[in-house]
Every structure is written in structure tokens, then in C-alpha cells.
């Protein structure tokens, strides 16, 4: 929604700039229709990209990020999105209800962490364990499990690998929950602070 509003603002400003430049060029400086149109289009494009640059700088400042930091975070978020898509695809290959439930939970937690970091890039650093370790492990385990489960052979080694992989998936899901808590830590701390203030005010009112 925010991106759309910013785009609408840029487009509106560019449109009015284009009209204004054309009118000034055509009537004020007696330029030809074609020349006025070229100046108007160039002016509109310049205003659009100037506003885009200013909006981005303002947004980076509000989020306490440099351009280099934002690019680093954006690149890692793109990779994370691709990994989450891979994780989602394993849902269609799972053979048991229990495994499907595990994978659904893993996808849900992963998407939640991703969306928080996408909306507030600064929180990416609070979820580094997720982006650089736990998500990779989860995808690899899910793909390994669904591959083994799809094999027609069920010897002792494959059964043992399936059991071990399922246990590790369960452990990873627990790690994803901790990652989500880490990403939300600022909100949790703020909520706890508000609760403490509310309790203190309630006690003060009772003592009066």
C-alpha cells in the first residue's frame, strides 16, 4: 500500500510538471508543439525520478539504513523468498499428514519472518540466524525428506533416514519459532514496558 501511494504521488507530480512545462514552453517561450512536448516529457520524467530518489533517501533515513545496507538486505531477502518458494513446493510432495503439518508450520513461520523484515528492513539483523542458517537447513531437510519418502524402496536405511530427518524438521520448526520471537523482540519489549507502566499507574491510583 505504501509503495502504491508513493508511486501515485510521483506520477501525479510528474503529470502536472509535464503539463506545466508544456504550457510554459508553448505559450511562454513560443516553442513549437513538438519541441514543447519533448521538453514537457523530459521535465515530467526528471520530476518523477527526482521524487523517487528523495522518497528513497527519506525512507532509508527513517529506517536508519544506508544505501549499501539496504542493498545487502534486499539481496538476502530475494534469496530468502526463493528458498521459501522451494519450501512451499515440498508440501505437494509430502506423503503423511504429520509431515504436511510440519511443513505448513515451517512455511507459515518463514513467511511471517520474511514479511516483517521486508516491511521493516532494520529487523533483518535480528533474524540473521533465520536467513543465514535455519531457513537453509529447513529447505534442505524438507527436500531430502520428500525425496526419500517418494522412493518405492523401504529398506532399513531409508526408514532410519526418514525418521531422523523428521525429527530434525521438528527441531528446525522450534528454531523458526525462536527466530520469529527474536525478530519481534522490540515489540515484545515495548509491550512489556507498556504493561509495567500500566501496572504502576494502577497501583498509584489504588494508593490514593
Amino acid at each position: 500500500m505504501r509503495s502504491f501511494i508513493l508511486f501515485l504521488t510521483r506520477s501525479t507530480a510528474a503529470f502536472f510538471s509535464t503539463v506545466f512545462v508544456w504550457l510554459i514552453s508553448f505559450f511562454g517561450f513560443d516553442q513549437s508543439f513538438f519541441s514543447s512536448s519533448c521538453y514537457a516529457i523530459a521535465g515530467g520524467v526528471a520530476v518523477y525520478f527526482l521524487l523517487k530518489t528523495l522518497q528513497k533517501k527519506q525512507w532509508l533515513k527513517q529506517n536508519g539504513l544506508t544505501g549499501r545496507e539496504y542493498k545487502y538486505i534486499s539481496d538476502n531477502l530475494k534469496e530468502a523468498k526463493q528458498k521459501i518458494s522451494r519450501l512451499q513446493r515440498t508440501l505437494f510432495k509430502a506423503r503423511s499428514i504429520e509431515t504436511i503439518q510440519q511443513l505448513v508450520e515451517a512455511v507459515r513461520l518463514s513467511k511471517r519472518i520474511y514479511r516483517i523484515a521486508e516491511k521493516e528492513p532494520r529487523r533483518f539483523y535480528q533474524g540473521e540466524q533465520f536467513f543465514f542458517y535455519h531457513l537453509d537447513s529447513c529447505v534442505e531437510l524438507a527436500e531430502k525428506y520428500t525425496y526419500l519418502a517418494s522412493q518405492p524402496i523401504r529398506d532399513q536405511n531409508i526408514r532410519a533416514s526418514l525418521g531422523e530427518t523428521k525429527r530434525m524438521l521438528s527441531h528446525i520448526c522450534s528454531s523458526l519459532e525462536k527466530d520469529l520471537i527474536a525478530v519481534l523482540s522490540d515489540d515484545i519489549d515495548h509491550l512489556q514496558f507498556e504493561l509495567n507502566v500500566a501496572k504502576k499507574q494502577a497501583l498509584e491510583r489504588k494508593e490514593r
Side-chain angles (χ1 to χ4, degrees):
M1 186 65 182
R2 177 185 171 277
S3 298
F4 175 74
I5 292 173
L6 291 177
F7 170 75
L8 192 62
T9 302
R10 294 194 301 269
S11 299
T12 302
F15 171 76
F16 283 110
S17 297
T18 300
V19 173
F20 178 75
V21 171
W22 190 91
L23 291 173
I24 292 296
S25 299
F26 189 76
F27 294 106
F29 293 94
D30 199 27
Q31 297 293 313
S32 67
F33 180 87
F34 178 76
S35 296
S36 297
S37 298
C38 289
Y39 293 142
I41 291 171
V45 170
V47 167
Y48 180 89
F49 283 103
L50 177 61
L51 281 177
K52 187 175 182 180
T53 301
L54 292 174
Q55 286 172 345
K56 184 177 180 181
K57 285 184 177 180
Q58 184 182 21
W59 184 81
L60 289 173
K61 185 178 180 180
Q62 288 173 347
N63 284 272
L65 296 169
T66 64
R68 182 176 295 181
E69 284 178 314
Y70 180 65
K71 185 180 185 309
Y72 170 76
I73 292 170
S74 295
D75 290 343
N76 281 286
L77 285 177
K78 286 177 184 177
E79 289 184 18
K81 188 175 183 179
Q82 293 172 353
K83 292 170 186 175
I84 293 171
S85 294
R86 284 170 56 191
L87 185 60
Q88 278 185 292
R89 287 196 290 271
T90 63
L91 283 169
F92 303 103
K93 302 175 184 178
R95 298 297 180 90
S96 70
I97 298 298
E98 184 184 355
T99 305
I100 291 174
Q101 289 175 336
Q102 278 185 320
L103 294 175
V104 166
E105 181 66 4
V107 170
R108 184 186 70 82
L109 291 167
S110 298
K111 281 187 171 182
R112 180 64 179 150
I113 295 169
Y114 171 84
R115 286 170 185 158
I116 292 171
E118 183 183 38
K119 185 178 179 181
E120 299 179 55
R122 192 72 190 173
R123 297 195 189 220
F124 171 85
Y125 296 113
Q126 293 168 289
E128 285 184 317
Q129 281 288 312
F130 166 77
F131 289 105
F132 295 132
Y133 179 68
H134 294 147
L135 180 58
D136 286 333
S137 298
C138 190
V139 173
E140 289 172 8
L141 286 170
E143 289 178 339
K144 177 183 177 182
Y145 182 86
T146 52
Y147 172 75
L148 289 174
S150 67
Q151 300 307 310
I153 302 172
R154 284 290 186 276
D155 68 4
Q156 188 175 354
N157 290 331
I158 289 181
R159 289 180 185 278
S161 294
L162 282 170
E164 179 63 22
T165 304
K166 185 180 287 189
R167 284 191 293 274
M168 291 179 71
L169 267 175
S170 179
H171 177 71
I172 284 293
C173 280
S174 297
S175 297
L176 295 180
E177 289 179 356
K178 293 176 183 177
D179 290 335
L180 179 57
I181 291 171
V183 171
L184 293 171
S185 60
D186 288 346
D187 294 320
I188 294 171
D189 291 341
H190 180 72
L191 178 60
Q192 188 60 52
F193 174 78
E194 293 293 334
L195 288 171
N196 291 337
V197 170
K199 288 177 183 177
K200 183 179 179 181
Q201 289 175 343
L203 287 171
E204 288 175 351
R205 282 195 296 269
K206 285 183 180 179
E207 290 174 355
R208 288 174 183 172

